[in-house]
Amino acid sequence: MAPDSPVRPKPRAGEHRAGPVGVRRAGRLRELLVAGVLDSFGMALGWTVLVLLAVSRGGLAEAALYNAAMLLGVVLSAPVTSWLARRVPGRGLLRGAAGVEILLRLGALAGLITGVRPALIALAVTAMHVAAWVGFAAMRAEVAAVDARPRSMTRYALAIAAVEAAGTGVGALLPIGAQGHPTGAALALVFVAYAGSLLPTVLSARRARMTPRGATRRAGAARSPGPSRPGRRVSPRLLAAGGGVMLLASGPTLLAVPLTTELHGRHWVAGAAIAFSVGCLLATAAVETVGRLRLPAVLRWSLWGLGMLVGWIGAPVHVISLLLAQFLAGLSQTALEGDMDALVAGEAPPGGVTTALAYSASVRALGGSAAVKLLPVLVTAPALGTAVSAAVLVLGLGALLLWATTTALTKRGGHVVRPPRPFPLATASPDPSSSWAPSATCSGSGRPPR
């Protein structure tokens, strides 16, 4: 060894060597990425088959029930995640959540096929998504513990967004039998993919770093470069505003699979998923562009809500309008979630960022859950344009009123709080959330983004 070469210290017990670029860190990131991608593909595939079967069995109302149950699971996952994370290490959290979710995935789909009562299926769906989002929170925490830089988080988010669109498309294109669901070998493959896609997550848990006191750091592990924040609580009014926008604007998007099926046929579900995912991928640029305008947060969120709604006015008329609606919804919903999570994370105390983001996702899911339950009660699919027009009018008037109020305060010398510079979109939501959603990622699968 050359005389001027630095002598590396011998690693301590339980510590692994990492090179300048982080060879071990890169391997761990690949492992987490592969596990997340496989899980998300299986989830999107199985969930799409489940929703389409619900439409064929009970129409839009039954599909809406399961979507509402799913979003209720996302809501409940926040306190569950907060409680478990303080008591269970990452290894146990990942394995336990995945094991429970495997059983519930199989039970919900098998129960729907065999004719179990919708109320019991909805209960299973709620529990399944509690487990799913607890596990997803643990996976995102593991990614951040290895490398919290925006590039790594963005790779994780976009890979999952792309593969969920693929899972949704495959689920929509599978051949179906007379009873409205795949049969024979196709059905067996759906069950294998739906449950078996979680096995890589179970295997990846053996190298988990998270503990109830935080991440176990290893040599060379990247740390988040952001400055520390003062201890303060997130404004409940901000959370309520985000939930309100989701209540008014998210219904058609979260029911996109059954609405597409009823309006234009099952064969357009895959195209709608692709359009939504393309919009998702452009959300980062949209957030940065609107952020330069320095608008108040609630006004920005109202504009994103208008984007989620406006395309659906013409969706019943022509399939091209529906695809445009899904594109705008993918862009706007992802932008809303990223924008809101960035602000919530900026206001949270250093030790409470994950919990604050969990409640941010839960409030949005609560608004979405109410939306998907109310929409089928208030309007039928062909009359969707009328209901959307009314919601657009309400949101538009609210945005104009807020704009006028803030402008008047500014001219009179009033203090208008400006939002902090948004975090990168893909790092904005290490939620225990996205239906075409819960967050930094999106899928087009009729459920919150993962």
Side-chain angles (χ1 to χ4, degrees):
M1 184 167 57
D4 57 347
S5 297
V7 178
R8 294 183 181 180
K10 186 176 180 180
R12 292 173 290 182
E15 194 173 77
H16 294 265
R17 178 82 69 194
V21 186
V23 176
R24 293 183 182 274
R25 185 167 70 241
R28 176 60 173 163
L29 285 173
R30 283 193 297 270
E31 181 182 29
L32 292 169
L33 180 62
V34 169
V37 162
L38 292 176
D39 171 25
S40 296
F41 178 85
M43 180 62 150
L45 171 65
W47 181 253
T48 302
V49 172
L50 188 149
V51 170
L52 292 174
L53 178 57
V55 173
S56 67
R57 192 176 87 160
L60 183 61
E62 186 167 343
L65 172 64
Y66 299 149
N67 275 275
M70 172 267 298
L71 291 168
L72 178 61
V74 180
V75 172
L76 296 177
S77 70
V80 171
T81 300
S82 178
W83 189 85
L84 288 174
R86 294 195 299 267
R87 294 165 174 82
V88 182
R91 180 179 301 180
L93 202 58
L94 284 170
R95 288 177 174 172
V100 171
E101 190 181 356
I102 286 174
L103 296 177
L104 290 170
R105 285 185 183 186
L106 293 174
L109 186 55
L112 193 59
I113 291 174
T114 56
V116 173
R117 294 177 58 185
L120 295 178
I121 300 296
L123 184 62
V125 167
T126 298
M128 178 176 73
H129 280 85
V130 170
W133 289 97
V134 168
F136 184 59
M139 285 291 284
R140 286 296 296 266
E142 290 297 324
V143 173
V146 178
D147 189 349
R149 291 176 299 176
R151 183 175 63 181
S152 296
M153 302 295 281
T154 300
R155 283 184 60 200
Y156 187 79
L158 294 184
I160 287 179
V163 79
E164 287 193 346
T168 301
V170 171
L173 296 175
L174 285 174
I176 60 173
Q179 296 180 334
H181 60 79
T183 58
L187 181 60
L189 288 174
V190 169
F191 273 100
V192 169
Y194 200 24
S197 59
L198 276 165
L199 294 179
T201 299
V202 176
L203 295 175
S204 72
R206 74 191 188 281
R207 297 172 61 190
R209 296 185 179 184
M210 293 301 296
T211 70
R213 291 180 294 179
T216 301
R217 294 284 176 184
R218 295 175 179 172
R223 298 175 182 267
S224 176
S228 59
R229 291 176 295 273
R232 49 181 175 174
R233 298 183 60 188
V234 179
S235 168
R237 289 180 293 179
L238 282 177
L239 296 177
V245 171
M246 288 293 288
L247 173 63
L248 286 172
S250 67
T253 303
L254 299 181
L255 289 172
V257 170
L259 283 174
T260 301
T261 303
E262 289 203 2
L263 290 173
H264 301 291
R266 174 192 178 111
H267 55 282
W268 280 106
V269 171
I274 293 172
F276 186 92
S277 295
V278 171
C280 285
L281 298 177
L282 297 177
T284 303
V287 168
E288 292 176 351
T289 301
V290 174
R292 296 190 189 101
L293 301 177
R294 308 292 290 174
L295 301 174
V298 179
L299 177 57
R300 295 199 309 273
W301 300 350
S302 299
L303 295 177
W304 297 133
L306 288 172
M308 292 165 61
L309 280 172
V310 67
W312 285 97
I313 295 176
V317 178
H318 198 278
V319 69
I320 299 300
S321 299
L322 185 142
L323 296 178
L324 176 62
Q326 278 298 94
F327 170 79
L328 293 174
L331 187 154
S332 300
Q333 183 167 320
T334 308
L336 168 65
E337 291 169 349
D339 194 352
M340 181 176 175
D341 285 344
L343 186 57
V344 167
E347 290 198 349
V353 173
T354 300
T355 298
L357 289 170
Y359 279 97
S360 174
S362 293
V363 167
R364 290 195 303 268
L366 184 62
S369 179
V372 300
K373 192 60 181 173
L374 289 173
L375 186 62
V377 175
L378 298 176
V379 67
T380 60
L384 179 66
T386 303
V388 170
S389 298
V392 167
L393 180 62
V394 171
L395 265 179
L397 290 175
L400 287 174
L401 179 62
L402 185 60
W403 181 286
T405 302
T406 54
T407 301
L409 287 174
T410 302
K411 289 182 177 179
R412 293 175 186 176
H415 178 61
V416 179
V417 178
R418 297 298 186 184
R421 187 175 182 268
F423 295 167
L425 185 62
T427 64
S429 178
D431 294 0
S433 124
S434 123
S435 155
W436 248 313
S439 34
T441 64
C442 50
S443 66
S445 60
R447 62 183 187 83
R450 307 255 301 174

PDB file of all heavy atoms in Angstrom, residues 139-168:
ATOM      1  N   MET A 139     -41.007   0.253   4.295  1.00  0.00           N
ATOM      2  CA  MET A 139     -40.119   0.174   3.130  1.00  0.00           C
ATOM      3  C   MET A 139     -39.521   1.536   2.806  1.00  0.00           C
ATOM      4  O   MET A 139     -38.319   1.659   2.535  1.00  0.00           O
ATOM      5  CB  MET A 139     -40.893  -0.359   1.925  1.00  0.00           C
ATOM      6  CG  MET A 139     -41.172  -1.842   1.968  1.00  0.00           C
ATOM      7  SD  MET A 139     -39.675  -2.850   1.768  1.00  0.00           S
ATOM      8  CE  MET A 139     -39.397  -2.684   0.003  1.00  0.00           C
ATOM      9  N   ARG A 140     -40.349   2.584   2.833  1.00  0.00           N
ATOM     10  CA  ARG A 140     -39.827   3.918   2.540  1.00  0.00           C
ATOM     11  C   ARG A 140     -38.828   4.351   3.602  1.00  0.00           C
ATOM     12  O   ARG A 140     -37.831   5.013   3.306  1.00  0.00           O
ATOM     13  CB  ARG A 140     -40.972   4.932   2.466  1.00  0.00           C
ATOM     14  CG  ARG A 140     -41.831   4.837   1.219  1.00  0.00           C
ATOM     15  CD  ARG A 140     -41.053   5.147  -0.045  1.00  0.00           C
ATOM     16  NE  ARG A 140     -40.585   6.520  -0.066  1.00  0.00           N
ATOM     17  CZ  ARG A 140     -41.239   7.532  -0.638  1.00  0.00           C
ATOM     18  NH1 ARG A 140     -42.393   7.313  -1.209  1.00  0.00           N
ATOM     19  NH2 ARG A 140     -40.741   8.736  -0.622  1.00  0.00           N
ATOM     20  N   ALA A 141     -39.072   3.978   4.847  1.00  0.00           N
ATOM     21  CA  ALA A 141     -38.117   4.300   5.907  1.00  0.00           C
ATOM     22  C   ALA A 141     -36.790   3.586   5.679  1.00  0.00           C
ATOM     23  O   ALA A 141     -35.715   4.154   5.940  1.00  0.00           O
ATOM     24  CB  ALA A 141     -38.696   3.913   7.269  1.00  0.00           C
ATOM     25  N   GLU A 142     -36.838   2.345   5.174  1.00  0.00           N
ATOM     26  CA  GLU A 142     -35.603   1.624   4.884  1.00  0.00           C
ATOM     27  C   GLU A 142     -34.828   2.291   3.748  1.00  0.00           C
ATOM     28  O   GLU A 142     -33.595   2.397   3.792  1.00  0.00           O
ATOM     29  CB  GLU A 142     -35.916   0.165   4.519  1.00  0.00           C
ATOM     30  CG  GLU A 142     -36.403  -0.674   5.680  1.00  0.00           C
ATOM     31  CD  GLU A 142     -35.352  -0.813   6.764  1.00  0.00           C
ATOM     32  OE1 GLU A 142     -34.157  -0.901   6.426  1.00  0.00           O
ATOM     33  OE2 GLU A 142     -35.726  -0.821   7.950  1.00  0.00           O
ATOM     34  N   VAL A 143     -35.541   2.738   2.711  1.00  0.00           N
ATOM     35  CA  VAL A 143     -34.875   3.444   1.611  1.00  0.00           C
ATOM     36  C   VAL A 143     -34.203   4.709   2.126  1.00  0.00           C
ATOM     37  O   VAL A 143     -33.042   4.999   1.800  1.00  0.00           O
ATOM     38  CB  VAL A 143     -35.885   3.778   0.489  1.00  0.00           C
ATOM     39  CG1 VAL A 143     -35.237   4.663  -0.578  1.00  0.00           C
ATOM     40  CG2 VAL A 143     -36.419   2.512  -0.156  1.00  0.00           C
ATOM     41  N   ALA A 144     -34.917   5.475   2.950  1.00  0.00           N
ATOM     42  CA  ALA A 144     -34.344   6.710   3.489  1.00  0.00           C
ATOM     43  C   ALA A 144     -33.164   6.425   4.413  1.00  0.00           C
ATOM     44  O   ALA A 144     -32.214   7.208   4.471  1.00  0.00           O
ATOM     45  CB  ALA A 144     -35.419   7.495   4.238  1.00  0.00           C
ATOM     46  N   ALA A 145     -33.217   5.295   5.143  1.00  0.00           N
ATOM     47  CA  ALA A 145     -32.109   4.960   6.036  1.00  0.00           C
ATOM     48  C   ALA A 145     -30.848   4.616   5.260  1.00  0.00           C
ATOM     49  O   ALA A 145     -29.739   4.877   5.719  1.00  0.00           O
ATOM     50  CB  ALA A 145     -32.509   3.784   6.933  1.00  0.00           C
ATOM     51  N   VAL A 146     -31.014   4.035   4.064  1.00  0.00           N
ATOM     52  CA  VAL A 146     -29.852   3.695   3.242  1.00  0.00           C
ATOM     53  C   VAL A 146     -29.329   4.920   2.510  1.00  0.00           C
ATOM     54  O   VAL A 146     -28.131   5.206   2.508  1.00  0.00           O
ATOM     55  CB  VAL A 146     -30.216   2.583   2.227  1.00  0.00           C
ATOM     56  CG1 VAL A 146     -29.021   2.260   1.329  1.00  0.00           C
ATOM     57  CG2 VAL A 146     -30.664   1.323   2.958  1.00  0.00           C
ATOM     58  N   ASP A 147     -30.217   5.665   1.880  1.00  0.00           N
ATOM     59  CA  ASP A 147     -29.805   6.837   1.103  1.00  0.00           C
ATOM     60  C   ASP A 147     -31.011   7.746   0.933  1.00  0.00           C
ATOM     61  O   ASP A 147     -31.925   7.431   0.173  1.00  0.00           O
ATOM     62  CB  ASP A 147     -29.266   6.411  -0.266  1.00  0.00           C
ATOM     63  CG  ASP A 147     -28.616   7.564  -1.020  1.00  0.00           C
ATOM     64  OD1 ASP A 147     -28.768   8.716  -0.572  1.00  0.00           O
ATOM     65  OD2 ASP A 147     -27.960   7.307  -2.040  1.00  0.00           O
ATOM     66  N   ALA A 148     -31.043   8.857   1.632  1.00  0.00           N
ATOM     67  CA  ALA A 148     -32.190   9.768   1.605  1.00  0.00           C
ATOM     68  C   ALA A 148     -32.080  10.835   0.530  1.00  0.00           C
ATOM     69  O   ALA A 148     -32.890  11.754   0.494  1.00  0.00           O
ATOM     70  CB  ALA A 148     -32.347  10.446   2.967  1.00  0.00           C
ATOM     71  N   ARG A 149     -31.083  10.729  -0.364  1.00  0.00           N
ATOM     72  CA  ARG A 149     -30.946  11.745  -1.409  1.00  0.00           C
ATOM     73  C   ARG A 149     -32.124  11.694  -2.373  1.00  0.00           C
ATOM     74  O   ARG A 149     -32.689  10.626  -2.625  1.00  0.00           O
ATOM     75  CB  ARG A 149     -29.631  11.535  -2.164  1.00  0.00           C
ATOM     76  CG  ARG A 149     -28.392  11.843  -1.346  1.00  0.00           C
ATOM     77  CD  ARG A 149     -27.135  11.521  -2.125  1.00  0.00           C
ATOM     78  NE  ARG A 149     -27.071  10.110  -2.477  1.00  0.00           N
ATOM     79  CZ  ARG A 149     -26.107   9.573  -3.222  1.00  0.00           C
ATOM     80  NH1 ARG A 149     -25.146  10.342  -3.701  1.00  0.00           N
ATOM     81  NH2 ARG A 149     -26.121   8.285  -3.476  1.00  0.00           N
ATOM     82  N   PRO A 150     -32.506  12.825  -2.965  1.00  0.00           N
ATOM     83  CA  PRO A 150     -33.655  12.848  -3.879  1.00  0.00           C
ATOM     84  C   PRO A 150     -33.536  11.855  -5.030  1.00  0.00           C
ATOM     85  O   PRO A 150     -34.538  11.285  -5.446  1.00  0.00           O
ATOM     86  CB  PRO A 150     -33.652  14.299  -4.393  1.00  0.00           C
ATOM     87  CG  PRO A 150     -32.997  15.079  -3.307  1.00  0.00           C
ATOM     88  CD  PRO A 150     -31.958  14.173  -2.718  1.00  0.00           C
ATOM     89  N   ARG A 151     -32.333  11.635  -5.568  1.00  0.00           N
ATOM     90  CA  ARG A 151     -32.188  10.742  -6.717  1.00  0.00           C
ATOM     91  C   ARG A 151     -32.639   9.333  -6.386  1.00  0.00           C
ATOM     92  O   ARG A 151     -33.363   8.699  -7.152  1.00  0.00           O
ATOM     93  CB  ARG A 151     -30.737  10.725  -7.199  1.00  0.00           C
ATOM     94  CG  ARG A 151     -30.525   9.866  -8.435  1.00  0.00           C
ATOM     95  CD  ARG A 151     -29.103   9.977  -8.937  1.00  0.00           C
ATOM     96  NE  ARG A 151     -28.146   9.480  -7.945  1.00  0.00           N
ATOM     97  CZ  ARG A 151     -26.831   9.473  -8.129  1.00  0.00           C
ATOM     98  NH1 ARG A 151     -26.320   9.959  -9.246  1.00  0.00           N
ATOM     99  NH2 ARG A 151     -26.030   9.008  -7.194  1.00  0.00           N
ATOM    100  N   SER A 152     -32.234   8.821  -5.233  1.00  0.00           N
ATOM    101  CA  SER A 152     -32.615   7.461  -4.847  1.00  0.00           C
ATOM    102  C   SER A 152     -34.106   7.359  -4.598  1.00  0.00           C
ATOM    103  O   SER A 152     -34.758   6.398  -5.021  1.00  0.00           O
ATOM    104  CB  SER A 152     -31.847   7.044  -3.596  1.00  0.00           C
ATOM    105  OG  SER A 152     -30.467   6.995  -3.851  1.00  0.00           O
ATOM    106  N   MET A 153     -34.668   8.343  -3.895  1.00  0.00           N
ATOM    107  CA  MET A 153     -36.094   8.311  -3.623  1.00  0.00           C
ATOM    108  C   MET A 153     -36.913   8.449  -4.905  1.00  0.00           C
ATOM    109  O   MET A 153     -37.966   7.832  -5.052  1.00  0.00           O
ATOM    110  CB  MET A 153     -36.447   9.426  -2.641  1.00  0.00           C
ATOM    111  CG  MET A 153     -35.691   9.355  -1.321  1.00  0.00           C
ATOM    112  SD  MET A 153     -36.088   7.883  -0.354  1.00  0.00           S
ATOM    113  CE  MET A 153     -37.662   8.371   0.348  1.00  0.00           C
ATOM    114  N   THR A 154     -36.432   9.258  -5.849  1.00  0.00           N
ATOM    115  CA  THR A 154     -37.141   9.427  -7.109  1.00  0.00           C
ATOM    116  C   THR A 154     -37.139   8.136  -7.919  1.00  0.00           C
ATOM    117  O   THR A 154     -38.155   7.750  -8.507  1.00  0.00           O
ATOM    118  CB  THR A 154     -36.498  10.560  -7.934  1.00  0.00           C
ATOM    119  OG1 THR A 154     -36.559  11.775  -7.177  1.00  0.00           O
ATOM    120  CG2 THR A 154     -37.228  10.752  -9.250  1.00  0.00           C
ATOM    121  N   ARG A 155     -35.996   7.458  -7.972  1.00  0.00           N
ATOM    122  CA  ARG A 155     -35.933   6.168  -8.668  1.00  0.00           C
ATOM    123  C   ARG A 155     -36.941   5.192  -8.086  1.00  0.00           C
ATOM    124  O   ARG A 155     -37.645   4.494  -8.816  1.00  0.00           O
ATOM    125  CB  ARG A 155     -34.532   5.567  -8.558  1.00  0.00           C
ATOM    126  CG  ARG A 155     -33.492   6.180  -9.478  1.00  0.00           C
ATOM    127  CD  ARG A 155     -32.185   5.430  -9.341  1.00  0.00           C
ATOM    128  NE  ARG A 155     -32.357   4.025  -9.690  1.00  0.00           N
ATOM    129  CZ  ARG A 155     -31.526   3.058  -9.323  1.00  0.00           C
ATOM    130  NH1 ARG A 155     -30.491   3.335  -8.570  1.00  0.00           N
ATOM    131  NH2 ARG A 155     -31.743   1.819  -9.697  1.00  0.00           N
ATOM    132  N   TYR A 156     -37.022   5.134  -6.790  1.00  0.00           N
ATOM    133  CA  TYR A 156     -37.950   4.221  -6.129  1.00  0.00           C
ATOM    134  C   TYR A 156     -39.391   4.587  -6.484  1.00  0.00           C
ATOM    135  O   TYR A 156     -40.208   3.721  -6.824  1.00  0.00           O
ATOM    136  CB  TYR A 156     -37.730   4.296  -4.617  1.00  0.00           C
ATOM    137  CG  TYR A 156     -38.502   3.281  -3.823  1.00  0.00           C
ATOM    138  CD1 TYR A 156     -38.077   1.965  -3.732  1.00  0.00           C
ATOM    139  CD2 TYR A 156     -39.662   3.646  -3.133  1.00  0.00           C
ATOM    140  CE1 TYR A 156     -38.784   1.032  -2.990  1.00  0.00           C
ATOM    141  CE2 TYR A 156     -40.371   2.712  -2.390  1.00  0.00           C
ATOM    142  CZ  TYR A 156     -39.923   1.415  -2.320  1.00  0.00           C
ATOM    143  OH  TYR A 156     -40.627   0.493  -1.587  1.00  0.00           O
ATOM    144  N   ALA A 157     -39.710   5.874  -6.429  1.00  0.00           N
ATOM    145  CA  ALA A 157     -41.080   6.316  -6.673  1.00  0.00           C
ATOM    146  C   ALA A 157     -41.505   6.076  -8.122  1.00  0.00           C
ATOM    147  O   ALA A 157     -42.585   5.539  -8.387  1.00  0.00           O
ATOM    148  CB  ALA A 157     -41.212   7.802  -6.333  1.00  0.00           C
ATOM    149  N   LEU A 158     -40.678   6.472  -9.074  1.00  0.00           N
ATOM    150  CA  LEU A 158     -41.057   6.366 -10.478  1.00  0.00           C
ATOM    151  C   LEU A 158     -41.110   4.918 -10.940  1.00  0.00           C
ATOM    152  O   LEU A 158     -41.942   4.554 -11.772  1.00  0.00           O
ATOM    153  CB  LEU A 158     -40.091   7.175 -11.341  1.00  0.00           C
ATOM    154  CG  LEU A 158     -40.131   8.683 -11.122  1.00  0.00           C
ATOM    155  CD1 LEU A 158     -39.215   9.390 -12.103  1.00  0.00           C
ATOM    156  CD2 LEU A 158     -41.548   9.222 -11.254  1.00  0.00           C
ATOM    157  N   ALA A 159     -40.210   4.062 -10.428  1.00  0.00           N
ATOM    158  CA  ALA A 159     -40.250   2.644 -10.800  1.00  0.00           C
ATOM    159  C   ALA A 159     -41.568   2.017 -10.361  1.00  0.00           C
ATOM    160  O   ALA A 159     -42.193   1.253 -11.102  1.00  0.00           O
ATOM    161  CB  ALA A 159     -39.069   1.898 -10.171  1.00  0.00           C
ATOM    162  N   ILE A 160     -42.012   2.354  -9.154  1.00  0.00           N
ATOM    163  CA  ILE A 160     -43.268   1.805  -8.662  1.00  0.00           C
ATOM    164  C   ILE A 160     -44.443   2.359  -9.454  1.00  0.00           C
ATOM    165  O   ILE A 160     -45.396   1.633  -9.785  1.00  0.00           O
ATOM    166  CB  ILE A 160     -43.405   2.087  -7.160  1.00  0.00           C
ATOM    167  CG1 ILE A 160     -42.438   1.178  -6.392  1.00  0.00           C
ATOM    168  CG2 ILE A 160     -44.829   1.877  -6.679  1.00  0.00           C
ATOM    169  CD1 ILE A 160     -42.446   1.363  -4.904  1.00  0.00           C
ATOM    170  N   ALA A 161     -44.406   3.651  -9.808  1.00  0.00           N
ATOM    171  CA  ALA A 161     -45.488   4.233 -10.599  1.00  0.00           C
ATOM    172  C   ALA A 161     -45.630   3.515 -11.932  1.00  0.00           C
ATOM    173  O   ALA A 161     -46.730   3.184 -12.371  1.00  0.00           O
ATOM    174  CB  ALA A 161     -45.224   5.721 -10.827  1.00  0.00           C
ATOM    175  N   ALA A 162     -44.497   3.257 -12.582  1.00  0.00           N
ATOM    176  CA  ALA A 162     -44.544   2.609 -13.899  1.00  0.00           C
ATOM    177  C   ALA A 162     -45.046   1.183 -13.801  1.00  0.00           C
ATOM    178  O   ALA A 162     -45.868   0.736 -14.610  1.00  0.00           O
ATOM    179  CB  ALA A 162     -43.151   2.645 -14.525  1.00  0.00           C
ATOM    180  N   VAL A 163     -44.582   0.440 -12.806  1.00  0.00           N
ATOM    181  CA  VAL A 163     -44.948  -0.972 -12.737  1.00  0.00           C
ATOM    182  C   VAL A 163     -46.400  -1.142 -12.292  1.00  0.00           C
ATOM    183  O   VAL A 163     -47.070  -2.106 -12.679  1.00  0.00           O
ATOM    184  CB  VAL A 163     -43.990  -1.740 -11.801  1.00  0.00           C
ATOM    185  CG1 VAL A 163     -44.345  -1.533 -10.343  1.00  0.00           C
ATOM    186  CG2 VAL A 163     -43.982  -3.228 -12.136  1.00  0.00           C
ATOM    187  N   GLU A 164     -46.935  -0.210 -11.506  1.00  0.00           N
ATOM    188  CA  GLU A 164     -48.342  -0.317 -11.135  1.00  0.00           C
ATOM    189  C   GLU A 164     -49.244  -0.076 -12.340  1.00  0.00           C
ATOM    190  O   GLU A 164     -50.309  -0.700 -12.461  1.00  0.00           O
ATOM    191  CB  GLU A 164     -48.659   0.654 -10.004  1.00  0.00           C
ATOM    192  CG  GLU A 164     -48.083   0.192  -8.673  1.00  0.00           C
ATOM    193  CD  GLU A 164     -48.631   0.956  -7.489  1.00  0.00           C
ATOM    194  OE1 GLU A 164     -49.255   2.018  -7.704  1.00  0.00           O
ATOM    195  OE2 GLU A 164     -48.462   0.482  -6.357  1.00  0.00           O
ATOM    196  N   ALA A 165     -48.848   0.814 -13.235  1.00  0.00           N
ATOM    197  CA  ALA A 165     -49.610   0.989 -14.459  1.00  0.00           C
ATOM    198  C   ALA A 165     -49.610  -0.301 -15.275  1.00  0.00           C
ATOM    199  O   ALA A 165     -50.627  -0.703 -15.843  1.00  0.00           O
ATOM    200  CB  ALA A 165     -49.030   2.138 -15.285  1.00  0.00           C
ATOM    201  N   ALA A 166     -48.461  -0.979 -15.317  1.00  0.00           N
ATOM    202  CA  ALA A 166     -48.387  -2.255 -16.036  1.00  0.00           C
ATOM    203  C   ALA A 166     -49.285  -3.299 -15.385  1.00  0.00           C
ATOM    204  O   ALA A 166     -49.999  -4.042 -16.070  1.00  0.00           O
ATOM    205  CB  ALA A 166     -46.939  -2.752 -16.063  1.00  0.00           C
ATOM    206  N   GLY A 167     -49.274  -3.376 -14.050  1.00  0.00           N
ATOM    207  CA  GLY A 167     -50.134  -4.325 -13.361  1.00  0.00           C
ATOM    208  C   GLY A 167     -51.603  -4.063 -13.608  1.00  0.00           C
ATOM    209  O   GLY A 167     -52.394  -4.996 -13.800  1.00  0.00           O
ATOM    210  N   THR A 168     -51.985  -2.790 -13.605  1.00  0.00           N
ATOM    211  CA  THR A 168     -53.380  -2.436 -13.883  1.00  0.00           C
ATOM    212  C   THR A 168     -53.771  -2.827 -15.298  1.00  0.00           C
ATOM    213  O   THR A 168     -54.856  -3.380 -15.533  1.00  0.00           O
ATOM    214  CB  THR A 168     -53.587  -0.929 -13.687  1.00  0.00           C
ATOM    215  OG1 THR A 168     -53.239  -0.577 -12.341  1.00  0.00           O
ATOM    216  CG2 THR A 168     -55.028  -0.536 -13.944  1.00  0.00           C
TER     217      THR A 168
END
